[in-house]
Amino acid sequence: MTRTIVESKTKTAIIGFDQPFCVIGERINPTGRKKLAAELEAGDFSTVEKDAIAQVAAGATVLDINAGVVYNSNPNPNETEPPLMRKIVELVQGLVDVPLCIDSSVPGALEAGLEACEGRPLLNSVTGEEERLEHILPLVKKYNVPVVAISNDDTGISEDPDVRFAVAKKIVQRAADFGIPAHDIVVDPLVMPIGAMATAGQQVFALVRRLREELGVNTTCGASNISFGLPNRHGINNAFLPMAMGAGMTSAIMNPVALPITQKAIAEKKEAVAAAGIILPEGMDDETFVTMFGLGSTLPRAGKEMEAIRAANLLTNNDAHGAEWIRFNKPPSADGDEGRGRGGRAGSRRRRA
């Protein structure tokens, strides 16, 4: 049975067909997050700290670390990204004990992250492009780490799933030439947006089955790609993830956290409630208010996608005796137990086996 081992200094995460689904938290990434990018350039790591803690509390098994900021003061990522990657890795592994995924398109940043990492991180990523293979596979061998293999090559991303499978097979074969075993390759078959390609879901499910049965490799994906550009993305993601798991997918790079409701949204709802003539108790706090009206929470908490994943783990017998499902759905206790009921809140951090 294929198992990919990822480790921190104190904890091991196993990606495998007979294991609970591995959630790789994606939030520590400045791409598309202007506020976070500006903070990082200014040396402010407060959002990184919050994101690391919140993702682990929500159930992330591994944390992806991406330092891809294009500095206004220096637009050369080969100079700026390696020291920033090192700093973020050292910071995050001082806060949480889960394994890390070092994520960059800059080889120097990948190596900086590998040097700073305690344990055995996952490297993200190598593609079928010749230049990338020649730069990244020696790093994978040197540091004896598993690697995400993305199914595109010098010709770009193909819409033909057979071509994407062929690229994945090529990477697995080239890795073998370096002495890297297939169980240390986690293939990303590339999920296309269902809004742009009606067969995108069917394609990825078929691809994942082929990758499992013919190459014997574990798989991952950017889970939210499937719903890009469509309304109610969480609804689509909630259906996609268990279906992908049923096809054999063993991990996903995703956001495990349902973000807090904004003060603006709370204020707008309070105005609407007042306009409807509803009188609220004096001194009602915001958390009670948003819970009463089904608006979510003022605090980060596990997202609906995590609920779907945990249910799928239970249904595929990858949750021994249903213990994780029961723990996740326990109402929070007075001392801040991290269990959550339907309206529950994330509580204190707790190390998980």
Side-chain angles (χ1 to χ4, degrees):
M1 190 66 74
T2 300
R3 292 185 173 184
T4 304
I5 307 297
V6 190
E7 296 175 321
S8 67
K9 186 176 181 179
T10 60
K11 184 173 286 186
T12 298
I14 303 174
I15 305 173
F17 307 137
D18 61 343
Q19 298 293 311
F21 194 72
C22 178
V23 174
I24 304 171
E26 69 179 6
R27 292 285 295 166
I28 303 175
N29 186 338
T31 305
R33 300 180 69 188
K34 292 182 179 179
K35 181 176 179 290
L36 176 57
E39 288 177 357
L40 292 176
E41 184 170 4
D44 178 358
F45 296 91
S46 56
T47 297
V48 169
E49 293 172 352
K50 292 174 185 175
D51 283 346
I53 293 169
Q55 288 183 104
V56 173
T61 322
V62 175
L63 292 186
D64 188 83
I65 308 294
N66 185 300
V69 181
V70 178
Y71 285 2
N72 292 319
S73 57
N74 182 356
N76 185 354
N78 293 304
E79 295 178 0
T80 60
E81 203 171 322
L84 181 60
M85 175 67 82
R86 183 184 298 275
K87 172 67 176 177
I88 296 175
V89 166
E90 291 172 347
L91 174 69
V92 170
Q93 65 187 3
L95 289 171
V96 296
D97 60 356
V98 299
L100 302 182
C101 176
I102 309 302
D103 181 0
S104 180
S105 60
V106 178
L110 290 176
E111 185 148 29
L114 288 169
E115 290 173 348
C117 238
E118 298 174 330
R120 190 175 197 250
L122 178 63
L123 199 65
N124 188 9
S125 59
V126 67
T127 67
E129 298 166 288
E130 286 301 322
E131 183 178 0
R132 193 76 178 169
L133 289 166
E134 293 300 323
H135 275 104
I136 304 305
L137 291 181
L139 278 180
V140 174
K141 180 62 177 178
K142 176 182 177 181
Y143 289 91
N144 185 29
V145 294
V147 64
V148 174
I150 300 179
S151 300
N152 68 280
D153 60 12
D154 301 274
T155 64
I157 300 173
S158 174
E159 292 188 359
D160 185 341
D162 290 333
V163 172
R164 299 206 300 279
F165 177 85
V167 173
K169 185 175 181 179
K170 169 188 171 181
I171 297 172
V172 171
Q173 291 172 338
R174 291 290 294 277
D177 293 339
F178 284 85
I180 301 165
H183 65 249
D184 275 341
I185 309 293
V186 181
V187 173
D188 181 346
L190 291 171
V191 175
M192 304 295 188
I194 193 78
M197 180 186 296
T199 59
Q202 293 169 301
Q203 279 193 10
V204 75
F205 303 147
L207 257 174
V208 166
R209 290 189 187 96
R210 285 192 71 189
L211 290 164
R212 172 175 177 165
E213 293 168 3
E214 297 181 35
L215 299 184
V217 293
N218 282 306
T219 45
T220 194
C221 71
S224 64
N225 288 354
I226 192 70
S227 60
F228 182 78
L230 292 173
N232 189 10
R233 296 185 66 185
H234 293 294
I236 296 171
N237 297 344
N238 291 348
F240 169 75
L241 282 162
M243 292 177 75
M245 293 167 67
M249 187 169 282
T250 48
S251 69
I253 300 170
M254 55 177 282
N255 178 15
V257 181
L259 299 181
I261 186 170
T262 65
Q263 285 299 314
K264 179 182 178 182
I266 294 173
E268 289 174 350
K269 185 63 177 180
K270 284 183 176 179
E271 288 180 7
V273 168
I278 300 173
I279 300 174
L280 299 173
E282 289 187 17
M284 176 182 284
D285 62 83
D286 284 348
E287 181 63 20
T288 302
F289 175 79
V290 299
T291 300
M292 177 181 293
F293 289 95
L295 301 179
S297 175
T298 60
L299 302 171
R301 67 202 190 288
K304 297 297 289 184
E305 287 88 343
M306 292 302 298
E307 185 175 301
I309 286 170
R310 285 186 166 100
N313 281 333
L314 176 64
L315 292 168
T316 55
N317 198 30
N318 284 322
D319 178 3
H321 309 294
E324 179 62 17
W325 179 253
I326 293 167
R327 188 197 66 79
F328 178 73
N329 285 283
K330 265 181 72 175
S333 63
D335 63 355
D337 183 82
E338 72 173 71
R340 304 159 188 82
R342 287 182 178 269
R345 290 186 286 174
S348 59
R349 290 168 53 212
R350 177 183 295 174
R351 294 195 175 200
R352 299 172 59 213

